Amino acid sequence: MEYKQDQTFGAMVLFPSLLEGLARTRSLKKMKNCHEEFARKTAEALEKEAKKNELVLSSSSGIVMSDKSNNFSSVCSKRGQKGINQDCLIIWEEFGCQEDMIFCGIFDGHGQWGQHVSKRVKESMPVSLLCNWQETLTLASLNLDFEMEMDRNLHWFDIWKQSFLKTYAAIDQELKHSSKIDSYRSGATASTIVKQGEHLIVANVGDLPGCLGLHFRRWEFEEAERITRSNGRVFCLHDEPGTYRVWMPNGKTPGLAISRAFGDYCVKDFGLISVPAVSQRHITNRDQFVILATDGVWDVISNEEAVHIVSSTTDRKKAAKRLVGCATLAWKSKKRGIAMDDISAICLFFHASSSSANLMISQNSCVKKSG
């Protein structure tokens, strides 16, 4: 269209173009909203079908396996002595109807509404992640001609990383605006993995520094600096030397032993974030299993001990139950006089059989390798 300057009717000349631009923008937004709604309904339908085929487990104990993969999952959760079990977990084999994919997530609530927060995160996470993964795949160019295998792996990792980042952010906002859950002083940590073929991606919002396998100095400079820069405070109580907690500027509340979590909006303006730490790992024939567990396990069981317990369990169906049982006994001997925390674990086996192992740590989980 040829444009001619007209001082008298300039506004009239530009106005139709403005309307067209607004219409185009609204149309794109409507299309995007329709696509997101369709994607969510599709993901929910896939989850419903997976549950029907017994490929989804979200109860306190059991196993999940598929005839189309070598994956085998053992699950167990036990209520502690503090009231309602605030731990939640979920496994989805053939995630998104993909034969080579599995999703695992374990969530640990805290605060008065902790069990509701962890449950909401558990219910929202798989479907939301699947939708974001499909959207990211659509937006990314899947026909890129990579010359090196490393480039393809980096492309794969970036797609999943962006999907996890979007998912965690969306769920945190969902909790913030929920009228049914008060997450101002309650929240939940999360440890999630997706195994796709020989690739494993781990995303965590959880306890620091121990469960992330980070040295204290790194935690001090990366996490504590962010919190203090936001006017939050980080210090230990006199009767808990070595246990660093996050406080509001007044130093009185809430005293969280974590620097990342869903919910807990009372300290979100003071450095607490829900951005997950995301990492990847290429699975080899030597890698045997991965353990996801809540701090009810890690507070009393070391990574090496956990690997030994699972490795030495002859019946893999009972691996998670045995790990939880060992943690229960450890609480009684190592934490006398302290109410036992909820204890939950997921043991995901990669192959048909396993052997002796040494340990490699991957954030809030342990990856076992054969010797």
Side-chain angles (χ1 to χ4, degrees), residues 126-291:
V127 169
S128 181
L129 179 61
L130 188 57
C131 288
N132 283 314
W133 177 64
Q134 292 173 335
E135 181 182 352
T136 307
L137 276 176
T138 302
L139 295 175
S141 174
L142 301 181
N143 296 318
L144 294 177
D145 185 18
F146 294 114
E147 297 181 359
M148 299 175 61
E149 183 68 25
M150 183 181 295
D151 291 330
R152 285 194 290 268
N153 290 339
L154 288 173
H155 181 60
W156 172 89
F157 173 67
D158 187 59
I159 288 175
W160 274 114
K161 183 176 181 179
Q162 293 304 316
S163 302
F164 270 108
L165 291 174
K166 291 178 184 178
T167 299
Y168 274 58
I171 293 176
D172 199 50
Q173 285 300 305
E174 179 184 330
L175 286 167
K176 183 177 182 179
H177 298 292
S178 173
S179 60
K180 298 181 179 180
I181 300 176
D182 183 0
S183 51
Y184 184 72
R185 294 183 183 275
S186 297
T189 60
S191 183
T192 55
I193 63 173
V194 167
K195 177 180 177 290
Q196 184 179 21
E198 298 176 347
H199 297 281
L200 187 73
I201 188 160
V202 186
N204 283 282
V205 162
D207 301 359
L208 291 174
C211 288
L212 290 182
L214 302 176
H215 295 297
F216 169 72
R217 187 171 298 277
R218 179 179 169 188
W219 179 85
E220 180 181 23
F221 285 106
E222 292 185 1
E223 298 293 308
E225 183 181 0
R226 184 190 68 244
I227 293 165
T228 54
R229 193 167 56 243
S230 301
N231 296 320
R233 299 181 64 187
V234 179
F235 61 85
C236 305
L237 296 174
H238 294 298
D239 58 346
E240 291 183 323
T243 302
Y244 289 82
R245 296 181 178 274
V246 179
W247 309 83
M248 294 175 70
N250 60 17
K252 296 181 179 180
T253 57
L256 295 173
I258 50 178
S259 60
R260 303 186 185 208
F262 288 104
D264 294 311
Y265 298 104
C266 62
V267 282
K268 278 288 166 68
D269 290 335
F270 305 109
L272 188 82
I273 60 175
S274 60
V275 179
V278 186
S279 63
Q280 67 171 327
R281 179 178 177 81
H282 178 74
I283 299 172
T284 68
N285 290 331
R286 297 179 62 201
D287 297 318
Q288 297 298 319
F289 59 77
V290 60
I291 301 171

